[in-house]
Each structure stands twice: as structure tokens, then as C-alpha cells.
Amino acid sequence: MLMKMKHILLFAAIMIAVTSHAQKNSKPNIIIIYTDDLGYGDPTCYNKSGIPTPHIDQLAASGIRFTSGHATSATCTPSRYALLTGQYPWKNKDAAVLPGDAPLIISTNQLTLPAMLKATGYKTGIVGKWHLGLGGATQKNWNERVSPGPNELGFDYSFIFPATADRVPTIFMENGVTIGADPNDPIAVDYTKKIGSEPTGKENPELLKMKSSANHGHDNTIVNGIGRIGFMTGGKTARWTDEEIPFTFLDKARTFIRENQTSPFFLYYALTEPHVPRMPSTMFKGKSGLGFRGDAILQIDWAVGEIIAQLKALKLYENTLIIFSSDNGPVLDDGYEDGAVTQQNGHLPWGKLRGGKYSSFEAGTRVPTILSWPAKVKGNQVSDALVCQIDLLASMASLTGYKDATGKISDSQNQLNAWLGKDNAGREYLIKNNGNQANVIIKGNWKLIKANNRQAKNLLTNTELGNLPADQLYNLKTDIGERFNLADKNPEMVKQLNEFLLIETGKSGK
Ligand code: NG6
Ligand code: CA
């Protein structure tokens, strides 16, 4: 009997040793689930009266929910630029919302998150929205392979759409090649003038299944009953159906995970929801009671759940580090009459924050930010550390043992301890931008928005932009909603932050 016990104990000890050895030596898989325009107050784990998001909440429960997680910018292209390059987007004058035919704005000489991870042994893939330009400066031929693009920046595999869901070309590209392209029906795109004879939202509004909002300009070529920004001809067999996009992206993401399950992999899963045009699949249409925007968020949550389920089925969940976040804050009317405004029904996508997408107020850039890595990070944590997506490059470099011999990790800070919940401070300061101007600094509890003469409100989207002709100072600890401008009461802090911002931006040659 005693002998038997001894054997069991010995066996158990060996098993523990083997497992911990395996875990120690195997790098985690890394998945970034990046949503498009999801607000700080959208998921339930951030806002009790938010939209039901059980799977996103489950991620938070299995890891850390950050209350001060930031994108660098209040729009897509600059935030994605910072996420992938670790560089402040205001240093690159092209890092602003791009048209669908823009050239690639990341240089193939720049270090990128996927290139760094690839160098440390990861298989790297992107599935979803790109919006960082494709190809060189000359006119692209969408009917041939377009490069450089994600594959030239460190992604082994790419399945993307080029820009935004509301911009042409409305096509998918796999490793640079348009899916379903037909040589007899070549694709052409123009952002300056109408090309071809296809109906546009402006000329044939009766053909639209969802009306464009007045004056937003989503009234060029109609694809799938929806007016887009920009003109497109050809490629009839290559065009997407909006309702199917989530299934297509999920399928590609799952295939990438399945095919790379034996090596550490990095997947950048860049969902298009809840960006306009919100055209949820039948499964979710009308389900939220908050219009298509709410339905699109249910759709995100479903996709997150599908990924979690797959990881669990493949026994990869424990050792997969998942980061869930958004590229910028929320907006209701961003171009279409989709019920977001008329069926808001009291839901506050920005939660307690002020502003929204496009704004220098917090709702523009403070976004849901969750990290889950069950093997190493205990669940149900809430962290107030100041973290920013720009730091994922240096932090993941530290995690995976990448040695930066090139000195190319510049603005990205190694904040791994904050990301893993070991330190509750995070960054000492963070500079954010609006347009090409680095006009916001957060340092400790303080936030400065620099004086500027731009419009105070985006009248199309009804968003307070945070612009004033005088400097604004807020104490984010006591006034997260940025209601009390303390600039007059605390001129010394305004001066200090201005000087600090000047030094920091001067350092980088701006
Ligand atoms: C804006 C579009 C908006 C959206 C945004 C990009 C107008 C009036 N509005 O210019 O609909 O497409 O660009 O959003 O054109 S982002 O999340 O990709 O930055
Ligand atoms: Ca966005």
C-alpha cells in the first residue's frame, strides 16, 4: 500500500515537473483582437448597463481589465500605425485616415510587431481590416498582386480588406492577391472622380438598402445596396457581402490558428465592427434593440466566443496571451442611418467619458483593454495602470526574448510588468495626438489638451472634439468625465506639462 502511494506521488511529481517545464519553455501564442470604434462603455465588463458581451467579459474574468488602456489616436490609421510599429503616429505625416487606394505608410525598413515576433520564432498572421495603405506611390493594379503590404512587414499570412468597410475597393486580399478577381472584369478605383457607369448613392438613392446620412459623403459607388466612399468599377465576383464579413474573417482566423497550433503563433485579428457601414448578419440583426451598432457589438462578442472555444478545444487557451482592444472610441452617426442614434435607448457607448471617436477628450482614445493569459496571469484583475497599445511592441519583445540590436524600438516602452499585472503604475506619461498634432499629454493624474483653433464639435457626428483656443487641464483621477477645466486654477501644472510635451516632442524631431 505504502509502495503504491509512493509510486503515485512520484508519478505526480514527475508530471508536475514535466508540465511546468513545458510551460516555461513554450512561448505563449499571442492574439490581438482589435475592434473598430468600440467604446469604453460598450462591453458589460466596462459598463453594467452596456451591451451584453458575455465572451468579452469572460476574457476579462480570466485575466486583467485595464481601466486606463489607450490607443494613441482617435481614428483608425494612426492608432494601427502605433500598434504595429511602436512609433508615435504624429511623426509620420501620412498616418491619418487613408483613402482605399493609398500607398503603404509603413516603411519595409521599420521594425513591426509581426516582424519582431517572427524573428523570435512566431508564425505571424493578420486577418481583418488593414487601413495602412498598400503598394507603392504609383497607381495600383488591383488585378495583380499588390505589394508591399502586410506580407512585406512581417506577416507570414494575410487576409485583409484594404481600408474601411465604407471605402472602396470592397474586396478581400489574401497574401496581396484579390480573392475572386476576374481578368475579364478588372477592378478600378478612383477617389477623385466617378469612373464607370455603376449607380452611386447620390444619383440612385432608391437602390440603397441603408440610407447614407446627409452630408457625410457615403454616397459614391453602391456595393451590396450600400453607398461607399470612393468610386469602383469591375471585380463583381470579388466584392464582399457585408453580412458575411464576420464569418469570412472568423473562418480565416480559425484556419490560421488550426494550421499553426504546434508553433507559437501571433494572430492580429482586426474586426471591422462596430465601424460603419454596420450591416450585421441575420443572426444578429435586430437582436440588441439598439440598432445595427448594438447588433454589430453582439457579433463581435460572438466572434470572441468562437475564438475562445476553438483555443479551448485545441488546448491552447491556457498558454495563449489574448489582448482585446479597440482602435478608437465610439461614434453613433458615422455616415449611415442605421438606428444607432434613433435606437440609442439610453446606452452610453462612451460610458462616463467625454467625447468619442475623433475627440481629444478621453472617449476618443481610452478604450476597452483586456489581457488574458491563464497560464501566467491570474484572473479577475482590474488594473489602473496607464497602458497604451504603442507599448505592445517593446513589451512583447521583452516577453519573447527579442534583442533590439537595431535600436528600432523607439517610442514603444517595455511595460510588460504593467501588461501582466505585476505593476500597477504603467507609463509615467503618454502623448496622444489628434490629426498630425501631438496635442494631448497625460502625466500622473493630469491631462493637458493643448490650445488649438480647430472646430470644437464635429457637427456631422455630434462629437465634442476637445478643441479650445486655450489650454485645458483636467484631473483624471477626480474628474474622469473632463468636466472641470482647471487650467486657470493651476497655471503652474499647465506650464510644466507644456514644457514636458515640448521636450518629448522635440526629442523626436517634431
Ligand atoms: C471619416 C468618415 C467615417 C469613417 C472614418 C474612418 C466621412 C464624413 N466620415 O472620414 O465614416 O470612415 O473616416 O474611420 O467621410 S476609422 O475608424 O477608420 O478611422
Ligand atoms: Ca476605427
Side-chain angles (χ1 to χ4, degrees), residues 38-157:
L38 187 70
Y40 194 76
D42 279 322
T44 329
C45 52
Y46 277 86
N47 175 2
K48 281 194 187 65
S49 50
I51 294 168
T53 48
H55 298 109
I56 299 170
D57 301 351
Q58 185 194 339
L59 265 191
S62 73
I64 311 174
R65 181 174 68 82
F66 292 91
T67 61
S68 190
H70 300 256
T72 55
S73 322
T75 51
C76 169
T77 302
S79 291
R80 284 161 204 257
Y81 180 83
L83 170 77
L84 291 183
T85 66
Q87 304 223 341
Y88 279 131
W90 39 267
K91 291 184 187 173
N92 180 339
K93 65 170 177 31
D94 297 324
V97 175
L98 294 173
D101 60 352
L104 179 64
I105 63 161
I106 302 176
S107 149
T108 49
N109 293 323
Q110 274 174 278
L111 183 64
T112 63
L113 186 56
M116 182 278 290
L117 289 170
K118 189 170 166 160
T120 65
Y122 278 75
K123 290 275 183 252
T124 56
I126 169 175
V127 174
K129 171 176 175 173
W130 178 239
H131 211 190
L132 289 159
L134 291 167
T138 50
Q139 188 66 28
K140 259 175 286 300
N141 184 348
W142 298 98
N143 309 289
E144 290 173 0
R145 181 164 194 274
V146 176
S147 86
N151 295 70
E152 286 68 38
L153 295 172
F155 284 110
D156 294 314
Y157 174 74

Side-chain angles (χ1 to χ4, degrees), residues 216-386:
H216 283 242
H218 296 61
D219 58 4
N220 302 153
T221 304
I222 299 173
V223 178
N224 187 31
I226 299 170
R228 313 281 165 165
I229 305 176
F231 300 94
M232 173 177 183
T233 59
K236 287 274 164 39
T237 52
R239 298 181 188 190
W240 72 54
T241 303
D242 301 74
E243 292 85 335
E244 289 175 1
I245 292 176
F247 302 105
T248 307
F249 283 163
L250 178 68
D251 177 54
K252 299 293 170 188
R254 287 169 55 111
T255 304
F256 177 80
I257 292 172
R258 194 180 60 243
E259 288 179 352
N260 293 288
Q261 57 181 295
T262 56
S263 57
F265 62 80
F266 165 56
L267 171 64
Y268 172 41
Y269 185 31
L271 304 178
T272 173
E273 303 97 324
H275 194 282
V276 297
R278 299 152 186 147
M279 187 44 69
S281 66
T282 312
M283 222 165 116
F284 299 102
K285 221 171 244 174
K287 294 282 156 56
S288 69
L290 299 173
F292 287 173
R293 182 176 186 280
D295 302 343
I297 293 172
L298 297 182
Q299 196 164 275
I300 293 176
D301 190 67
W302 161 81
V304 170
E306 293 296 304
I307 293 290
I308 293 176
Q310 185 197 20
L311 292 171
K312 286 189 169 166
L314 295 173
K315 307 222 174 331
L316 297 176
Y317 186 61
E318 289 285 309
N319 200 29
T320 297
L321 189 163
I322 303 176
I323 289 161
F324 175 88
S325 199
S326 176
D327 65 341
N328 55 253
V331 56
L332 292 175
D333 182 356
D334 209 16
Y336 299 92
E337 293 183 11
D338 58 14
V341 174
T342 52
Q343 297 179 65
Q344 192 184 344
N345 289 333
H347 171 60
L348 301 178
W350 38 82
K352 293 194 173 104
L353 308 180
R354 187 171 178 184
K357 181 176 182 177
Y358 309 115
S359 177
S360 292
F361 286 130
E362 284 298 276
T365 43
R366 190 184 288 231
V367 284
T369 306
I370 295 167
L371 181 143
S372 157
W373 183 16
K376 288 286 161 71
V377 173
K378 75 172 172 18
N380 282 310
Q381 297 188 63
V382 177
S383 170
D384 294 339
L386 176 60

